[in-house]
Coordinates of all heavy atoms in Angstrom, one line a residue:
V137 N 2.6 28.4 -15.5 CA 3.9 28.1 -16.2 C 4.3 29.1 -17.1 O 5.5 29.3 -17.2 CB 3.9 26.8 -16.8 CG1 4.0 25.6 -15.7 CG2 2.7 26.5 -17.6
D138 N 3.4 29.8 -17.7 CA 3.8 30.8 -18.8 C 3.8 32.2 -18.3 O 4.1 33.1 -19.0 CB 2.9 30.7 -20.0 CG 2.9 29.3 -20.5 OD1 4.1 28.8 -20.7 OD2 1.9 28.8 -21.0
D139 N 3.4 32.5 -17.0 CA 3.5 33.8 -16.4 C 4.8 34.4 -16.5 O 5.8 33.7 -16.1 CB 3.0 33.6 -14.9 CG 2.9 34.9 -14.2 OD1 3.7 35.7 -14.2 OD2 1.8 35.2 -13.6
P140 N 4.9 35.5 -17.0 CA 6.3 36.2 -17.2 C 7.1 36.2 -15.8 O 8.3 36.1 -15.8 CB 6.1 37.6 -17.7 CG 4.7 37.5 -18.3 CD 4.0 36.4 -17.6
Q141 N 6.4 36.6 -14.7 CA 7.0 36.6 -13.5 C 7.6 35.3 -13.0 O 8.8 35.2 -12.5 CB 6.1 37.2 -12.3 CG 6.8 37.6 -11.1 CD 5.8 37.9 -9.9 OE1 4.7 37.3 -9.9 NE2 6.2 38.7 -8.9
V142 N 6.9 34.3 -13.3 CA 7.2 32.9 -12.9 C 8.5 32.4 -13.8 O 9.5 31.9 -13.3 CB 6.1 31.8 -13.1 CG1 6.7 30.5 -13.2 CG2 5.0 32.0 -12.1
L143 N 8.3 32.8 -15.0 CA 9.5 32.6 -15.9 C 10.8 33.3 -15.5 O 11.9 32.7 -15.6 CB 9.2 32.9 -17.4 CG 8.2 31.9 -18.0 CD1 7.7 32.4 -19.5 CD2 8.7 30.5 -18.2
K144 N 10.6 34.5 -15.0 CA 11.8 35.3 -14.5 C 12.4 34.7 -13.4 O 13.5 34.5 -13.1 CB 11.3 36.6 -14.3 CG 12.5 37.6 -13.6 CD 11.9 39.1 -13.5 CE 12.9 39.8 -12.6 NZ 12.4 41.1 -12.1
G145 N 11.3 34.2 -12.4 CA 11.9 33.5 -11.2 C 12.6 32.2 -11.5 O 13.6 31.8 -10.9
K146 N 12.2 31.5 -12.6 CA 12.7 30.3 -12.9 C 14.2 30.6 -13.4 O 15.2 29.9 -12.9 CB 12.1 29.7 -14.1 CG 12.6 28.3 -14.6 CD 11.6 27.8 -15.7 CE 12.0 26.4 -16.1 NZ 11.1 25.9 -17.1
S147 N 14.4 31.7 -14.1 CA 15.9 31.9 -14.6 C 16.7 32.4 -13.4 O 17.9 32.0 -13.2 CB 15.9 32.9 -15.8 OG 15.8 34.2 -15.4
L148 N 16.0 33.1 -12.4 CA 16.8 33.5 -11.2 C 17.1 32.2 -10.3 O 18.2 32.2 -9.7 CB 15.9 34.5 -10.4 CG 15.8 35.9 -11.1 CD1 14.7 36.6 -10.3 CD2 17.0 36.6 -11.0

Side-chain angles (χ1 to χ4, degrees):
V137 280
D138 298 326
D139 181 310
Q141 192 191 28
V142 167
L143 290 172
K144 179 179 169 188
K146 184 179 185 178
S147 84
L148 290 167

